[in-house]
Amino acid sequence: AGGVLVAPRMGDWLTPVRFEEIIGETRLAAVSKKQLKRAMEESARVYLDESLLLPDETWEFAARRNYFVDLARRLGWTLTDREADVLARDMTENDARYDLYADTRSGLNRLREKYPLGLLSDAMPSLQRVMDNAGLWELFDQTVLSCQIGATKPDPAAYRAIAEKLEADPAQCLFCDDRVSNLEGAQKAGMRPVHMDREDRRSWPGERVRDLLELARLVNA
């Protein structure tokens, strides 16, 4: 989903919408942006591992709360229980954390006119609610979230899971992603990889598109 269908409202996936409001200027001023980014990434590796099996948003909330408690510890912040709760709820329950690309809805509708669609995403349970509220979940014939199978891309198990749900041979599947490592995994799984290169980085030597409408034109050519 990320980088193909939706983008993070705050510029990254580790910052909730209300982060600056809850943390406040004093604590933010006490650390550099580089320190904050490094601490977020280190805490996320421990507590926001999307290959963990998480059955629902209650479990997701607990994981995200642990992330903020650990982040505060790494940065030397004093974080109250209420602040940890509010940050975790905002990250789990606030749909505004996601921005749809302008072509997402029209592109999916164009593609599904001729092809079954599968969603394979490294994500926690709340993504399903966000996609459902946006009217996108129903556009997919089958879906697989990493938190449901305990595997993230480029693990071969992830590609196998979505192909099996679609009842398709991997060789029949086109896989679109914004990350080169995930495209390499799809290629090894026997799928046709296409790079979603919205920022025109040209980092993938194979087929690439800049939006979903361009993808629809590519597969219908």
Side-chain angles (χ1 to χ4, degrees):
V4 177
L5 308 177
V6 295
R9 172 72 57 88
M10 304 306 291
D12 65 73
W13 294 112
L14 301 178
T15 306
V17 176
R18 298 182 62 194
F19 185 71
E20 291 188 7
E21 172 195 341
I22 302 304
I23 295 301
E25 293 181 4
T26 301
R27 279 179 289 199
L28 285 173
V31 300
S32 67
K33 290 183 178 179
K34 184 177 180 180
Q35 286 175 308
L36 178 59
K37 183 175 184 292
R38 183 172 64 247
M40 283 182 162
E41 291 172 348
E42 290 171 350
S43 293
R45 277 195 290 270
V46 178
Y47 293 103
L48 301 183
D49 181 353
E50 291 170 329
S51 69
L52 295 176
L53 290 169
L54 296 176
D56 55 39
E57 290 187 29
T58 300
W59 287 70
E60 178 180 343
F61 168 80
R64 295 196 184 280
R65 191 184 191 284
N66 287 336
Y67 160 74
F68 286 112
V69 171
D70 185 69
L71 176 66
R73 178 188 62 79
R74 291 175 187 272
L75 294 173
W77 291 344
T78 299
L79 194 69
T80 67
D81 287 343
R82 180 183 177 280
E83 288 172 332
D85 287 346
V86 172
L87 287 166
R89 293 228 173 273
D90 191 47
M91 205 170 185
T92 303
E93 300 175 358
N94 190 351
D95 289 10
R97 194 162 71 90
Y98 297 81
D99 279 332
L100 294 185
Y101 292 110
D103 57 279
T104 294
R105 198 180 310 278
S106 56
L108 288 176
N109 278 308
R110 185 76 57 82
L111 287 162
R112 71 193 299 264
E113 289 175 357
K114 295 183 66 173
Y115 304 100
L117 296 184
L119 173 67
L120 174 63
S121 186
D122 295 343
M124 291 188 173
S126 61
L127 178 66
Q128 179 173 344
R129 187 203 68 247
V130 172
M131 298 280 285
D132 195 30
N133 289 344
L136 299 180
W137 194 256
E138 63 188 23
L139 300 183
F140 290 92
D141 296 274
Q142 297 293 342
T143 59
V144 172
L145 302 185
S146 60
C147 63
Q148 298 169 334
I149 61 172
T152 55
K153 299 167 289 183
D155 188 322
Y159 306 99
R160 187 164 56 247
I162 190 62
E164 288 176 354
K165 289 195 75 171
L166 286 166
E167 299 182 352
D169 187 292
Q172 297 175 293
C173 298
L174 180 149
F175 176 81
C176 185
D177 200 285
D178 66 320
R179 293 188 178 184
V180 169
S181 60
N182 294 342
L183 295 169
E184 291 170 342
Q187 192 169 50
K188 289 178 182 177
M191 297 179 176
R192 174 186 174 184
V194 176
H195 187 203
M196 178 58 73
D197 190 13
R198 291 187 178 277
E199 298 181 7
D200 201 27
R201 293 177 176 174
R202 302 173 185 266
S203 55
W204 175 250
E207 294 178 294
R208 68 185 187 94
V209 295
R210 285 165 293 185
D211 58 46
L212 288 174
L213 294 173
E214 190 172 336
L215 178 63
R217 290 193 291 272
L218 175 70
V219 298
N220 289 328

